[in-house]
Amino acid sequence: MWWTGSCRAAAMSLTDYVRKRDFTKTAEPRGEARRRSHGLYVIQKHRASHLHYDFRLEAEGVLKSWSVPKGPSLDPSIKRLAMAVEDHPVEYGSFEGTIPEGEYGGGTVMLWDTGTFALEDGATWAAAERAGRIRFRLNGKKLKGTWNLTRMRGRQWLLIKSRDEHASKTVDICEAKPRSVKSRRLLAGIARVHGGDITKAATGDPPRPSG
Ligand code: MN
C-alpha cells in the first residue's frame, strides 16, 4: 500500500517536468518516477538564459530540485538562494550535454558534482520537506559534510553549509573546481562536443588567464 501511494505521488510530481519539454527536440531523458530511493545527489551547472547550479536530491522516487544562481558556498556564514523548481526524473542525474536554443532551459548542462546524501537527525524526507528544514550529509566528489536547505517563503529556500571539517572561508569551490565530474570538460568543451553554442557556454566558464 505504501509503495502504491508513494509511486502515484511521484509520478504526478513529474508532470511539470514533462509538460515543459519536447522530447523529440531535447536530448534530456523522458524518465519515469522510481519506486525506490537510493539517495543520489547531483549538481548540474547550467548555462541557460542565466548561469545557475541545479541542486538535486533523490527522494520519493524523483530528483527534488533547486536552482541556485550563485552555486554552493563552503562558507557557513554565506546563505545561497535556492529556488525550488520542478521534480526531475532520476535518470536526469547523469545528463550532460546541450538543450536546443528555444527549448525550455536551452543551453549547456555540465554534471558538476555527483555522489550520495543522507538525511541527518534520523529525519524522514516528507517531514523535513514539510517543515522546510532539510539537513543532510553529502558524499560528493566536490561537496562533502553537512548542509542545510531552509525554506524562507514559497519556493525560496537557502542553501547553507554547516560548520564542520569540510567548511572553508577561503576556497571558492565553484571557481576552484569548474570542470565536469563526468567528462572533465568545461562548459565550452561540452557545447563543442554536443553541438551547442560554444561562445554562450564559455561565458559560464572561469576567465582564461591573460597572456
Ligand atoms: Mn537549470
Side-chain angles (χ1 to χ4, degrees), residues 167-189:
S168 170
K169 286 194 171 288
T170 54
V171 176
D172 181 336
I173 190 71
C174 295
E175 261 182 32
K177 305 272 186 186
R179 290 181 180 273
S180 164
V181 294
K182 183 176 184 176
S183 64
R184 306 305 302 161
R185 295 186 176 106
L186 296 170
L187 283 166

Side-chain angles (χ1 to χ4, degrees), residues 127-144:
E129 190 178 40
R130 199 181 320 117
R133 293 179 64 85
I134 307 171
R135 189 172 150 82
F136 51 93
R137 190 166 183 82
L138 292 182
N139 185 20
K141 291 178 176 168
K142 295 177 182 173
L143 301 191
K144 296 179 187 297

Side-chain angles (χ1 to χ4, degrees), residues 14-200:
L14 286 179
T15 52
D16 279 352
Y17 173 84
V18 170
R19 183 172 48 75
K20 290 178 175 182
R21 290 168 177 79
D22 181 346
F23 294 102
T24 65
K25 293 182 178 162
T26 182
E28 297 166 289
R30 168 70 174 75
E32 58 184 41
R34 298 207 172 172
R35 284 171 177 270
R36 285 182 174 278
S37 169
H38 299 275
L40 178 68
Y41 142 72
V42 173
I43 294 180
Q44 280 149 327
K45 185 176 180 181
H46 187 184
R47 178 63 179 91
S49 51
H50 299 282
L51 179 69
H52 59 274
Y53 292 74
D54 288 304
F55 187 94
R56 311 190 197 279
L57 298 175
E58 180 184 7
E60 299 178 337
V62 295
L63 291 176
K64 303 284 181 170
S65 299
W66 289 261
S67 173
V68 183
K70 292 186 176 174
S73 171
L74 301 184
D75 183 343
S77 70
I78 292 181
K79 302 170 169 67
R80 288 283 158 85
L81 177 66
M83 294 294 294
V85 297
E86 76 274 19
D87 298 339
H88 280 51
V90 175
E91 288 88 338
Y92 206 95
S94 57
F95 178 74
E96 178 173 284
T98 56
I99 301 170
E101 296 300 330
E103 296 302 304
Y104 182 74
T108 301
V109 177
M110 171 197 292
L111 190 57
W112 186 79
D113 196 20
T114 189
T116 58
F117 82 99
L119 292 175
E120 297 261 89
D121 317 318
T124 65
W125 182 271
E129 190 178 40
R130 199 181 320 117
R133 293 179 64 85
I134 307 171
R135 189 172 150 82
F136 51 93
R137 190 166 183 82
L138 292 182
N139 185 20
K141 291 178 176 168
K142 295 177 182 173
L143 301 191
K144 296 179 187 297
T146 301
W147 293 72
N148 304 273
L149 276 163
T150 304
R151 180 160 45 219
M152 300 304 288
R153 66 190 71 81
R155 291 182 164 264
Q156 294 178 27
W157 295 64
L158 296 174
L159 177 66
I160 309 165
K161 180 76 192 76
S162 286
R163 290 174 205 283
D164 62 19
E165 71 274 26
H166 301 289
S168 170
K169 286 194 171 288
T170 54
V171 176
D172 181 336
I173 190 71
C174 295
E175 261 182 32
K177 305 272 186 186
R179 290 181 180 273
S180 164
V181 294
K182 183 176 184 176
S183 64
R184 306 305 302 161
R185 295 186 176 106
L186 296 170
L187 283 166
I190 294 165
R192 185 177 298 113
V193 168
H194 295 274
D197 183 333
I198 299 167
T199 306
K200 177 184 169 187

